[in-house]
Amino acid sequence: MSSPDGTAPPDRPADPAAAGAEPRIEDLVDETSGPTPHFDALAELRAGDERPTDSTTREQTGPKLELGPVGHLGDRLFSGLARGSGGLVVAIVAFVGIFLLALAIPALADNKANFLFSRVWEPGGSDPRFGIAGLFYTTVISSIIAMIIAVPIAIGVALFVTYYAPRRIATPVAHAVDLLAAVPSIVYGLWGLLFFAPIVLPVINGLSSALGWIPLFEKPIGDNVGVIFTISVVLAIMILPVVTAISREIFAQTPVAHREGALALGSTKWEMIRMAVLPYGRSGVTSAAMLGLGRALGETVAVMIILTVPNGNDPWNPSIFSGGETFASKIANNAAEFDSPEKTGAFIAAGLVLFVVTFLVNSAARIIVARSAPGAKRPRRNRRATEGASV
Protein backbone atom coordinates (compact mmCIF):
# COMPACT_ATOMS: atom_id res chain seq x y z
CA MET A 1 0.00 0.00 0.00
CA SER A 2 1.39 3.40 -0.95
CA SER A 3 0.50 6.90 -0.03
CA PRO A 4 -1.28 9.22 -2.51
CA ASP A 5 1.95 11.03 -3.34
CA GLY A 6 3.69 7.76 -4.27
CA THR A 7 6.05 7.56 -1.33
CA ALA A 8 6.59 4.53 0.86
CA PRO A 9 4.13 3.82 3.67
CA PRO A 10 5.10 4.90 7.23
CA ASP A 11 6.05 1.34 8.33
CA ARG A 12 8.50 1.01 5.46
CA PRO A 13 11.00 3.86 5.55
CA ALA A 14 12.25 4.96 2.17
CA ASP A 15 15.75 5.59 3.44
CA PRO A 16 17.61 2.29 3.73
CA ALA A 17 19.94 3.85 6.33
CA ALA A 18 16.96 4.33 8.59
CA ALA A 19 15.88 0.70 8.39
CA GLY A 20 17.90 -0.21 11.47
CA ALA A 21 16.44 2.62 13.56
CA GLU A 22 14.13 1.87 16.48
CA PRO A 23 10.41 1.79 15.48
CA ARG A 24 8.22 4.59 16.67
CA ILE A 25 4.83 4.27 18.29
CA GLU A 26 3.24 5.73 15.15
CA ASP A 27 4.79 2.96 13.07
CA LEU A 28 3.11 0.28 15.22
CA VAL A 29 -0.44 1.47 14.53
CA ASP A 30 -2.54 -0.65 12.17
CA GLU A 31 -4.07 1.61 9.54
CA THR A 32 -6.96 -0.77 8.88
CA SER A 33 -8.05 -1.14 12.49
CA GLY A 34 -7.64 2.44 13.61
CA PRO A 35 -5.34 3.77 16.29
CA THR A 36 -4.83 0.43 18.07
CA PRO A 37 -1.17 -0.46 18.55
CA HIS A 38 0.19 -3.92 17.91
CA PHE A 39 0.80 -5.15 21.45
CA ASP A 40 2.91 -8.04 20.23
CA ALA A 41 5.35 -5.62 18.63
CA LEU A 42 5.41 -3.52 21.80
CA ALA A 43 6.16 -6.62 23.87
CA GLU A 44 9.04 -7.56 21.56
CA LEU A 45 10.38 -4.00 21.75
CA ARG A 46 10.23 -4.03 25.58
CA ALA A 47 11.82 -7.47 25.72
CA GLY A 48 14.75 -6.16 23.76
CA ASP A 49 15.25 -3.27 26.18
CA GLU A 50 15.22 -5.36 29.37
CA ARG A 51 18.02 -4.51 31.77
CA PRO A 52 20.39 -7.20 33.00
CA THR A 53 19.46 -8.99 36.16
CA ASP A 54 21.19 -8.56 39.53
CA SER A 55 23.38 -11.57 38.91
CA THR A 56 24.50 -10.17 35.59
CA THR A 57 25.19 -6.77 37.19
CA ARG A 58 27.12 -8.41 40.03
CA GLU A 59 29.22 -10.36 37.54
CA GLN A 60 30.00 -7.23 35.53
CA THR A 61 30.66 -4.79 38.41
CA GLY A 62 32.31 -7.14 40.89
CA PRO A 63 31.53 -7.68 44.60
CA LYS A 64 29.44 -5.13 46.56
CA LEU A 65 31.43 -2.31 48.23
CA GLU A 66 31.24 -2.44 52.01
CA LEU A 67 31.64 1.01 53.72
CA GLY A 68 33.52 1.13 56.99
CA PRO A 69 32.57 3.23 60.06
CA VAL A 70 32.60 6.99 59.56
CA GLY A 71 35.51 8.82 61.26
CA HIS A 72 39.22 8.31 61.52
CA LEU A 73 41.26 7.14 64.47
CA GLY A 74 42.58 10.63 65.17
CA ASP A 75 39.07 12.05 65.32
CA ARG A 76 37.94 9.40 67.77
CA LEU A 77 41.02 9.89 69.96
CA PHE A 78 40.58 13.66 70.03
CA SER A 79 36.88 13.33 70.85
CA GLY A 80 37.67 10.93 73.69
CA LEU A 81 40.39 13.20 75.11
CA ALA A 82 38.11 16.24 74.96
CA ARG A 83 35.28 14.43 76.71
CA GLY A 84 37.66 13.01 79.28
CA SER A 85 39.17 16.42 80.01
CA GLY A 86 35.75 17.94 80.58
CA GLY A 87 34.72 15.09 82.84
CA LEU A 88 38.00 15.35 84.76
CA VAL A 89 37.45 19.02 85.53
CA VAL A 90 33.92 18.34 86.78
CA ALA A 91 35.22 15.45 88.91
CA ILE A 92 37.96 17.62 90.46
CA VAL A 93 35.47 20.32 91.41
CA ALA A 94 33.14 17.72 92.90
CA PHE A 95 35.96 16.06 94.87
CA VAL A 96 37.11 19.41 96.28
CA GLY A 97 33.59 20.21 97.44
CA ILE A 98 33.14 16.76 98.98
CA PHE A 99 36.52 17.01 100.74
CA LEU A 100 35.72 20.40 102.26
CA LEU A 101 32.25 19.30 103.30
CA ALA A 102 33.46 16.07 104.91
CA LEU A 103 36.06 17.85 107.05
CA ALA A 104 33.82 20.80 107.92
CA ILE A 105 30.78 18.85 109.12
CA PRO A 106 32.31 17.65 112.47
CA ALA A 107 33.46 21.18 113.36
CA LEU A 108 30.10 22.68 112.43
CA ALA A 109 28.33 20.06 114.54
CA ASP A 110 30.38 21.07 117.63
CA ASN A 111 30.05 24.82 117.01
CA LYS A 112 28.19 26.63 119.79
CA ALA A 113 27.71 29.90 117.86
CA ASN A 114 25.72 30.80 114.77
CA PHE A 115 28.05 30.01 111.91
CA LEU A 116 26.42 32.38 109.41
CA PHE A 117 25.60 35.42 111.58
CA SER A 118 28.21 35.42 114.33
CA ARG A 119 31.48 37.39 114.22
CA VAL A 120 33.29 35.64 117.05
CA TRP A 121 36.18 33.35 116.11
CA GLU A 122 37.24 30.98 118.90
CA PRO A 123 37.43 27.54 117.27
CA GLY A 124 39.63 25.89 119.93
CA GLY A 125 38.89 24.50 123.36
CA SER A 126 36.02 22.45 124.66
CA ASP A 127 33.47 25.11 123.71
CA PRO A 128 34.26 26.14 120.11
CA ARG A 129 32.48 29.24 118.84
CA PHE A 130 33.07 30.70 115.39
CA GLY A 131 31.13 32.54 112.69
CA ILE A 132 31.78 34.04 109.28
CA ALA A 133 29.66 37.21 109.27
CA GLY A 134 32.65 39.59 109.48
CA LEU A 135 34.69 37.58 106.98
CA PHE A 136 31.83 37.49 104.51
CA TYR A 137 31.22 41.23 104.75
CA THR A 138 34.86 42.19 104.21
CA THR A 139 35.27 39.79 101.31
CA VAL A 140 32.16 40.92 99.50
CA ILE A 141 32.48 44.68 100.07
CA SER A 142 36.14 44.80 99.01
CA SER A 143 35.40 42.80 95.85
CA ILE A 144 32.41 44.97 94.94
CA ILE A 145 34.40 48.19 95.33
CA ALA A 146 37.20 46.70 93.24
CA MET A 147 34.71 45.83 90.50
CA ILE A 148 33.16 49.32 90.58
CA ILE A 149 36.60 50.85 90.07
CA ALA A 150 38.12 48.34 87.63
CA VAL A 151 35.33 47.50 85.15
CA PRO A 152 34.63 51.04 83.83
CA ILE A 153 38.36 51.74 83.51
CA ALA A 154 38.93 48.42 81.76
CA ILE A 155 36.13 49.10 79.26
CA GLY A 156 37.50 52.57 78.59
CA VAL A 157 41.03 51.29 78.05
CA ALA A 158 39.76 48.51 75.76
CA LEU A 159 37.77 50.98 73.64
CA PHE A 160 40.69 53.41 73.52
CA VAL A 161 43.14 50.75 72.38
CA THR A 162 40.72 49.26 69.84
CA TYR A 163 39.05 52.27 68.20
CA TYR A 164 40.65 55.56 69.24
CA ALA A 165 44.40 55.26 69.73
CA PRO A 166 46.74 55.06 66.72
CA ARG A 167 48.67 51.83 66.35
CA ARG A 168 51.97 53.29 67.58
CA ILE A 169 50.26 54.20 70.87
CA ALA A 170 47.74 51.35 71.16
CA THR A 171 50.35 48.61 71.01
CA PRO A 172 52.51 49.86 73.94
CA VAL A 173 49.42 50.58 76.05
CA ALA A 174 48.05 47.09 75.45
CA HIS A 175 51.39 45.49 76.33
CA ALA A 176 51.68 47.59 79.49
CA VAL A 177 48.22 46.56 80.66
CA ASP A 178 48.95 42.90 79.92
CA LEU A 179 52.19 43.08 81.92
CA LEU A 180 50.21 44.01 85.04
CA ALA A 181 48.83 40.46 85.08
CA ALA A 182 52.37 39.06 85.41
CA VAL A 183 53.16 40.96 88.63
CA PRO A 184 53.07 38.57 91.65
CA SER A 185 50.57 39.14 94.43
CA ILE A 186 53.27 39.67 97.04
CA VAL A 187 54.68 42.56 95.00
CA TYR A 188 51.24 44.15 94.88
CA GLY A 189 50.93 43.71 98.62
CA LEU A 190 54.27 45.31 99.46
CA TRP A 191 53.71 48.12 96.96
CA GLY A 192 50.22 48.78 98.31
CA LEU A 193 51.32 48.88 101.94
CA LEU A 194 54.54 50.89 101.64
CA PHE A 195 53.87 53.17 98.65
CA PHE A 196 50.21 53.31 97.68
CA ALA A 197 48.55 53.48 101.12
CA PRO A 198 50.15 56.85 102.06
CA ILE A 199 49.16 58.27 98.66
CA VAL A 200 45.51 57.24 98.98
CA LEU A 201 45.23 58.58 102.55
CA PRO A 202 44.13 62.12 101.42
CA VAL A 203 41.36 60.49 99.38
CA ILE A 204 40.18 58.67 102.48
CA ASN A 205 40.18 61.90 104.47
CA GLY A 206 38.23 63.73 101.75
CA LEU A 207 35.59 61.01 101.42
CA SER A 208 35.16 60.73 105.19
CA SER A 209 34.79 64.51 105.48
CA ALA A 210 32.14 64.68 102.75
CA LEU A 211 30.28 61.42 103.40
CA GLY A 212 31.18 60.68 107.00
CA TRP A 213 27.55 60.83 108.07
CA ILE A 214 27.04 57.54 106.22
CA PRO A 215 28.23 54.54 108.29
CA LEU A 216 29.94 53.07 105.23
CA PHE A 217 32.27 56.12 104.97
CA GLU A 218 32.74 56.85 108.65
CA LYS A 219 36.39 57.29 109.57
CA PRO A 220 37.40 55.47 112.76
CA ILE A 221 40.22 56.57 115.01
CA GLY A 222 43.59 55.28 113.85
CA ASP A 223 46.20 55.58 111.12
CA ASN A 224 43.74 54.38 108.42
CA VAL A 225 46.47 52.81 106.32
CA GLY A 226 45.59 49.13 106.00
CA VAL A 227 41.86 49.60 105.44
CA ILE A 228 39.27 47.99 103.19
CA PHE A 229 39.27 50.91 100.75
CA THR A 230 43.02 50.62 100.17
CA ILE A 231 42.93 46.91 99.48
CA SER A 232 39.90 47.42 97.22
CA VAL A 233 41.86 49.82 95.00
CA VAL A 234 44.80 47.40 94.91
CA LEU A 235 42.44 44.57 93.96
CA ALA A 236 41.03 46.77 91.20
CA ILE A 237 44.54 47.22 89.80
CA MET A 238 45.12 43.48 90.00
CA ILE A 239 41.98 42.49 88.10
CA LEU A 240 42.27 45.34 85.57
CA PRO A 241 44.48 43.37 83.09
CA VAL A 242 42.08 40.41 82.92
CA VAL A 243 38.97 42.50 82.27
CA THR A 244 40.80 44.77 79.81
CA ALA A 245 42.34 41.97 77.75
CA ILE A 246 39.09 40.04 77.32
CA SER A 247 37.06 43.18 76.60
CA ARG A 248 39.60 44.33 74.02
CA GLU A 249 39.40 41.04 72.13
CA ILE A 250 35.59 41.09 72.21
CA PHE A 251 35.34 44.67 70.96
CA ALA A 252 37.79 43.96 68.14
CA GLN A 253 35.59 41.07 66.91
CA THR A 254 32.56 43.27 66.30
CA PRO A 255 31.41 42.57 62.71
CA VAL A 256 32.66 45.13 60.22
CA ALA A 257 29.20 45.29 58.63
CA HIS A 258 27.70 46.48 61.93
CA ARG A 259 30.28 49.21 62.40
CA GLU A 260 30.29 50.42 58.81
CA GLY A 261 26.51 50.27 58.67
CA ALA A 262 26.23 52.55 61.69
CA LEU A 263 28.76 54.98 60.24
CA ALA A 264 27.02 54.91 56.86
CA LEU A 265 23.79 56.00 58.53
CA GLY A 266 25.53 59.14 59.78
CA SER A 267 26.53 58.03 63.28
CA THR A 268 29.55 59.46 65.00
CA LYS A 269 32.24 57.15 66.33
CA TRP A 270 30.78 57.23 69.83
CA GLU A 271 27.28 56.53 68.49
CA MET A 272 28.68 53.63 66.46
CA ILE A 273 30.33 52.23 69.60
CA ARG A 274 27.18 52.71 71.66
CA MET A 275 24.85 51.12 69.10
CA ALA A 276 27.08 48.43 67.54
CA VAL A 277 30.17 47.64 69.62
CA LEU A 278 28.85 47.71 73.20
CA PRO A 279 25.72 45.61 72.51
CA TYR A 280 27.80 43.04 70.65
CA GLY A 281 30.39 42.81 73.44
CA ARG A 282 27.98 42.85 76.37
CA SER A 283 28.22 39.14 77.05
CA GLY A 284 32.03 39.11 76.75
CA VAL A 285 32.44 42.07 79.10
CA THR A 286 30.13 40.40 81.60
CA SER A 287 32.19 37.23 81.46
CA ALA A 288 35.41 39.21 81.91
CA ALA A 289 33.95 41.06 84.90
CA MET A 290 32.94 37.81 86.55
CA LEU A 291 36.43 36.40 86.07
CA GLY A 292 37.84 39.50 87.71
CA LEU A 293 35.37 39.15 90.56
CA GLY A 294 36.51 35.58 91.14
CA ARG A 295 40.11 36.79 91.30
CA ALA A 296 39.18 39.49 93.83
CA LEU A 297 37.23 37.08 96.03
CA GLY A 298 40.09 34.62 96.31
CA GLU A 299 43.09 36.97 96.57
CA THR A 300 45.18 36.06 99.62
CA VAL A 301 48.75 37.39 99.86
CA ALA A 302 48.12 41.03 98.96
CA VAL A 303 45.10 41.20 101.28
CA MET A 304 47.03 39.55 104.10
CA ILE A 305 49.89 42.08 103.79
CA ILE A 306 47.83 45.27 103.45
CA LEU A 307 44.68 44.75 105.50
CA THR A 308 44.89 45.48 109.22
CA VAL A 309 43.45 42.78 111.44
CA PRO A 310 41.06 44.32 113.99
CA ASN A 311 41.05 43.35 117.63
CA GLY A 312 38.53 40.67 118.40
CA ASN A 313 37.13 42.63 121.37
CA ASP A 314 36.48 45.79 119.32
CA PRO A 315 32.91 46.43 118.16
CA TRP A 316 32.18 45.74 114.56
CA ASN A 317 32.50 48.74 112.23
CA PRO A 318 30.91 48.58 108.76
CA SER A 319 33.08 51.43 107.42
CA ILE A 320 35.33 50.79 104.43
CA PHE A 321 37.97 52.95 106.18
CA SER A 322 38.51 50.31 108.87
CA GLY A 323 40.42 47.05 108.93
CA GLY A 324 39.12 43.54 108.56
CA GLU A 325 39.78 40.04 107.27
CA THR A 326 38.58 38.13 104.27
CA PHE A 327 38.11 34.37 104.01
CA ALA A 328 41.44 33.89 102.29
CA SER A 329 43.44 36.20 104.57
CA LYS A 330 41.88 34.66 107.68
CA ILE A 331 42.98 31.19 106.65
CA ALA A 332 46.46 32.39 105.65
CA ASN A 333 47.00 34.44 108.83
CA ASN A 334 46.07 31.53 111.10
CA ALA A 335 47.67 28.63 109.26
CA ALA A 336 49.83 27.96 112.32
CA GLU A 337 46.71 27.13 114.36
CA PHE A 338 45.94 23.98 112.39
CA ASP A 339 47.07 21.88 115.37
CA SER A 340 43.79 20.11 116.12
CA PRO A 341 40.92 18.70 114.05
CA GLU A 342 38.49 21.17 115.64
CA LYS A 343 40.47 24.25 114.63
CA THR A 344 41.27 22.84 111.23
CA GLY A 345 37.61 22.03 110.64
CA ALA A 346 36.59 25.62 111.47
CA PHE A 347 38.97 27.09 108.89
CA ILE A 348 37.96 24.47 106.35
CA ALA A 349 34.33 25.46 106.94
CA ALA A 350 35.27 29.05 106.11
CA GLY A 351 37.02 27.82 102.97
CA LEU A 352 33.89 25.87 102.06
CA VAL A 353 31.83 29.05 102.19
CA LEU A 354 34.35 30.81 99.93
CA PHE A 355 34.19 27.84 97.55
CA VAL A 356 30.39 28.01 97.41
CA VAL A 357 30.40 31.80 96.91
CA THR A 358 32.88 31.51 94.03
CA PHE A 359 30.87 28.69 92.47
CA LEU A 360 27.66 30.73 92.68
CA VAL A 361 29.38 33.75 91.13
CA ASN A 362 30.64 31.68 88.21
CA SER A 363 27.24 30.07 87.74
CA ALA A 364 25.55 33.46 87.73
CA ALA A 365 28.10 34.67 85.19
CA ARG A 366 27.30 31.76 82.88
CA ILE A 367 23.57 32.51 83.10
CA ILE A 368 24.10 36.22 82.43
CA VAL A 369 26.39 35.52 79.48
CA ALA A 370 23.93 33.04 77.99
CA ARG A 371 21.04 35.48 78.26
CA SER A 372 22.98 38.50 77.00
CA ALA A 373 24.60 36.75 74.03
CA PRO A 374 23.62 38.05 70.56
CA GLY A 375 20.43 36.38 69.37
CA ALA A 376 19.65 34.86 72.77
CA LYS A 377 16.70 37.13 73.54
CA ARG A 378 13.33 36.07 72.31
CA PRO A 379 11.00 38.72 70.92
CA ARG A 380 8.11 39.64 73.16
CA ARG A 381 4.76 38.46 72.00
CA ASN A 382 1.99 40.91 71.37
CA ARG A 383 -0.77 39.95 73.76
CA ARG A 384 -3.52 41.48 71.65
CA ALA A 385 -2.28 39.77 68.50
CA THR A 386 -2.10 36.46 70.38
CA GLU A 387 -5.65 36.85 71.68
CA GLY A 388 -6.91 37.79 68.21
CA ALA A 389 -5.27 34.74 66.68
CA SER A 390 -6.77 32.47 69.31
CA VAL A 391 -10.26 33.86 68.67
Side-chain angles (χ1 to χ4, degrees):
M1 180 178 180
S2 61
S3 60
D5 55 355
T7 58
D11 55 347
R12 296 178 182 178
D15 189 3
E22 296 181 1
R24 298 175 300 173
I25 187 65
E26 293 84 354
D27 300 334
L28 302 178
V29 178
D30 189 1
E31 296 179 354
T32 59
S33 60
T36 303
H38 293 281
F39 292 101
D40 296 338
L42 287 174
E44 294 177 358
L45 177 63
R46 182 174 299 178
D49 293 340
E50 287 183 354
R51 297 181 180 179
T53 58
D54 294 342
S55 59
T56 306
T57 304
R58 189 177 297 110
E59 293 176 357
Q60 294 178 355
T61 60
K64 185 179 180 180
L65 180 62
E66 297 291 341
L67 297 177
V70 178
H72 301 286
L73 179 61
D75 295 335
R76 293 194 294 270
L77 289 177
F78 182 79
S79 176
L81 290 176
R83 295 175 183 273
S85 300
L88 180 62
V89 172
V90 175
I92 291 174
V93 174
F95 287 154
V96 170
I98 294 173
F99 167 78
L100 295 175
L101 185 63
L103 295 182
I105 287 178
L108 293 174
D110 297 336
N111 186 19
K112 300 301 187 296
N114 193 319
F115 178 70
L116 297 178
F117 300 101
S118 176
R119 294 191 308 106
V120 64
W121 192 267
E122 298 174 357
S126 58
D127 190 19
R129 300 168 61 247
F130 54 92
I132 60 167
L135 305 178
F136 184 83
Y137 175 80
T138 306
T139 302
V140 172
I141 196 65
S142 61
S143 301
I144 291 176
I145 296 175
M147 294 292 296
I148 294 174
I149 297 173
V151 172
I153 297 177
I155 295 175
V157 173
L159 291 175
F160 172 77
V161 171
T162 307
Y163 294 105
Y164 285 97
R167 184 175 297 273
R168 65 178 183 276
I169 298 177
T171 302
V173 171
H175 290 333
V177 174
D178 294 340
L179 285 176
L180 292 176
V183 179
S185 299
I186 190 172
V187 175
Y188 277 113
L190 295 175
W191 171 79
L193 179 64
L194 302 177
F195 178 79
F196 184 72
I199 294 177
V200 80
L201 188 58
V203 179
I204 295 176
N205 295 330
L207 290 176
S208 62
S209 300
L211 303 174
W213 52 275
I214 303 177
L216 189 65
F217 299 98
E218 182 182 359
K219 181 181 178 182
I221 301 175
D223 55 2
N224 305 116
V225 175
V227 297
I228 297 175
F229 181 78
T230 304
I231 189 57
S232 299
V233 179
V234 175
L235 288 176
I237 298 174
M238 296 178 68
I239 67 178
L240 183 64
V242 178
V243 184
T244 303
I246 298 177
S247 301
R248 185 177 70 241
E249 295 297 329
I250 294 297
F251 291 155
Q253 294 176 5
T254 304
V256 179
H258 294 183
R259 292 179 285 167
E260 293 182 351
L263 295 175
L265 293 174
S267 302
T268 62
K269 181 174 287 188
W270 161 241
E271 290 173 343
M272 179 271 293
I273 291 174
R274 182 172 58 87
M275 293 186 298
V277 177
L278 293 180
Y280 179 82
R282 181 170 56 246
S283 60
V285 173
T286 303
S287 178
M290 292 300 104
L291 287 176
L293 179 59
R295 170 73 186 277
L297 289 172
E299 180 56 38
T300 304
V301 178
V303 179
M304 182 180 63
I305 294 175
I306 297 175
L307 201 56
T308 301
V309 179
N311 191 356
N313 298 325
D314 295 339
W316 179 67
N317 190 350
S319 174
I320 61 175
F321 301 141
S322 62
E325 284 185 296
T326 63
F327 286 108
S329 65
K330 183 70 173 180
I331 297 173
N333 283 326
N334 299 273
E337 297 184 8
F338 296 173
D339 53 358
S340 63
E342 293 78 12
K343 292 182 179 181
T344 305
F347 289 101
I348 289 180
L352 176 63
V353 175
L354 179 60
F355 176 82
V356 173
V357 170
T358 306
F359 183 80
L360 293 177
V361 167
N362 292 332
S363 300
R366 296 296 301 175
I367 295 175
I368 294 173
V369 169
R371 290 185 176 181
S372 60
K377 293 184 178 180
R378 297 181 179 178
R380 296 183 178 179
R381 295 182 178 179
N382 191 338
R383 181 177 300 177
R384 295 181 179 179
T386 305
E387 292 177 356
S390 61
V391 174

